[in-house]
Amino acid sequence: MSDILVTENIQGASMVRLIDDLDVEFDAYLWQNRDLLKQKLQNAKALIVRNQTQVNQELIDAAPQLKIIARSGVGLDNVDTEYAQEKGITVCFTPDANSLSVAELTIGLMLALLRKIPEARQDTLTGGWNRLKFTGSELYGKTFGLIGMGRIGSLTATRARAFGMNIIAVDPFLAADAPALNRVGGKLVSLDELLAEADVVSCHSPLTPNTRKMLTYSHFSQMKPDACFINTSRGEVVDEKGLIQALLEHKLAGAALDVRETEPPQQSPLNQMENVILTPHIAAFTVEAQERVVDSVCEDVRLVLSGKAPINVFKP
């Protein structure tokens, strides 16, 4: 039994050093075997996970010596943070380490949608040279609507503003005069206003009981027929059947989804739509972001196990 369990494929120089220096068991597929995982947790003092390991009450109860749960990423929807804290377990995550990478992918998906890059590439590979068919739209002058203006939303808005886009946002935790809005000349609006006005709607909302399936067919039906929807946050905030129906009925022009309701997803009508871009939850997967993420979780594990205060501790 090891002091530190790594249950998913979390790699990097800091992880190699952690394995060299401390008592670590690294098993990229351990999250798939709950019984074995619970057995190995009996003597573990630290648990390092990404998003596949469901750290619920049952798993926490199987780890009586656990001092820290370190989530390699931003969201904590796979960790029962409240119960962990009741048990005196520190929960750490990496709220800022991959924000820039997510923001950049969002901009990339927006460009791909408006300039029809994937369709143009595929047509050209098959011998086509149909320039007029792939006439796209500029970002300049378009209205960019953000659902959520936290760290990632703010970084995305800054980059969209550099393209000359007009920024509007909805965020229940944001004041109308918030610095994040002022920096980009943005305006706080209601969700209904945002959906009706935006040429591109981008979701940056965390997954909570209140946001689960918060975007439904009726919401997508409020969008402009030439508008696009992007989601790089959590797939579960979208009612996928409602989005599919809205796309089939041409209520909006297209969508780009890096996250899905179920991951990995089953076959879906989305797979057959030329105006839909699907990527496998890669927003945070850049070399730079992964280095920052792994550096952060390994450092916090070292600090907690040595009796010191962690840096990126979760606070409710």
Side-chain angles (χ1 to χ4, degrees), residues 21-301:
D21 296 344
L22 300 175
D23 181 15
V24 180
E25 179 169 349
F26 184 103
D27 185 342
Y29 303 101
L30 185 56
W31 65 274
Q32 295 177 334
N33 190 332
R34 296 285 290 186
D35 290 337
L36 181 59
L37 175 53
K38 285 190 289 185
Q39 179 184 334
K40 290 181 178 293
L41 276 170
Q42 290 176 9
N43 296 311
K45 297 176 183 176
L47 174 64
I48 303 178
V49 304
R50 198 185 291 279
N51 66 321
Q52 297 286 0
T53 310
Q54 298 303 308
V55 190
N56 56 15
Q57 182 173 337
E58 176 192 29
L59 209 62
I60 292 170
D61 283 340
Q65 298 187 51
L66 201 62
K67 295 182 178 180
I68 177 173
I69 299 165
R71 160 73 161 99
S72 180
V74 179
L76 284 166
D77 39 279
N78 62 312
V79 178
D80 189 335
T81 55
E82 183 176 346
Y83 190 68
Q85 291 177 327
E86 285 179 16
K87 291 291 187 177
I89 301 168
T90 299
V91 177
C92 291
F93 65 138
T94 56
D96 299 327
N98 55 22
S99 299
L100 182 56
S101 292
V102 179
E104 288 186 357
L105 181 72
T106 304
I107 297 297
L109 292 173
M110 179 161 51
L111 285 165
L113 279 171
L114 270 65
R115 296 304 304 269
K116 304 181 181 180
I117 295 170
E119 307 100 293
R121 175 186 182 275
Q122 189 58 41
D123 185 80
T124 305
L125 288 176
T126 56
W129 197 256
N130 299 296
R131 299 170 68 193
L132 293 179
K133 180 180 178 181
F134 300 110
T135 302
S137 298
E138 294 180 347
L139 302 188
Y140 182 81
K142 300 294 189 299
T143 298
F144 188 45
L146 294 111
I147 302 175
M149 270 285 284
R151 172 71 173 170
I152 294 173
S154 297
L155 288 169
T156 307
T158 300
R159 281 144 186 79
R161 184 61 182 162
F163 280 96
M165 301 187 81
N166 304 307
I167 308 299
I168 58 175
V170 57
D171 191 316
F173 304 105
L174 205 65
D177 60 350
L181 278 172
N182 291 335
R183 281 194 297 269
V184 295
K187 180 176 67 169
L188 201 62
V189 297
S190 69
L191 180 57
D192 288 344
E193 288 176 291
L194 183 143
L195 294 170
E197 294 178 18
D199 298 296
V200 180
V201 174
S202 185
C203 187
H204 301 280
S205 174
L207 178 64
T208 69
N210 291 331
T211 63
R212 187 177 295 275
K213 291 196 175 184
M214 71 172 179
L215 296 174
T216 65
Y217 169 77
S218 64
H219 293 103
F220 294 116
S221 297
Q222 296 176 52
M223 292 176 63
K224 297 178 181 180
D226 59 350
C228 293
F229 173 72
I230 300 170
N231 189 10
T232 55
S233 60
R234 286 291 182 266
E236 297 96 323
V237 304
V238 173
D239 177 1
E240 213 161 271
K241 289 182 179 178
L243 174 60
I244 291 169
Q245 183 181 350
L247 285 164
L248 290 173
E249 294 177 1
H250 307 291
K251 302 292 186 182
L252 67 164
L257 307 175
D258 184 52
V259 288
R260 304 291 295 278
E261 271 190 297
T262 302
E263 296 183 5
Q266 302 295 318
Q267 282 296 312
S268 162
L270 292 169
N271 297 56
Q272 311 304 321
M273 296 181 182
E274 290 188 357
N275 58 341
V276 174
I277 300 172
L278 302 174
T279 51
H281 203 153
I282 59 170
F285 279 74
T286 61
V287 172
E288 296 85 355
Q290 290 307 299
E291 286 180 354
R292 291 192 294 266
V293 165
V294 176
D295 288 350
S296 176
V297 295
C298 289
E299 178 64 16
D300 278 338
V301 166

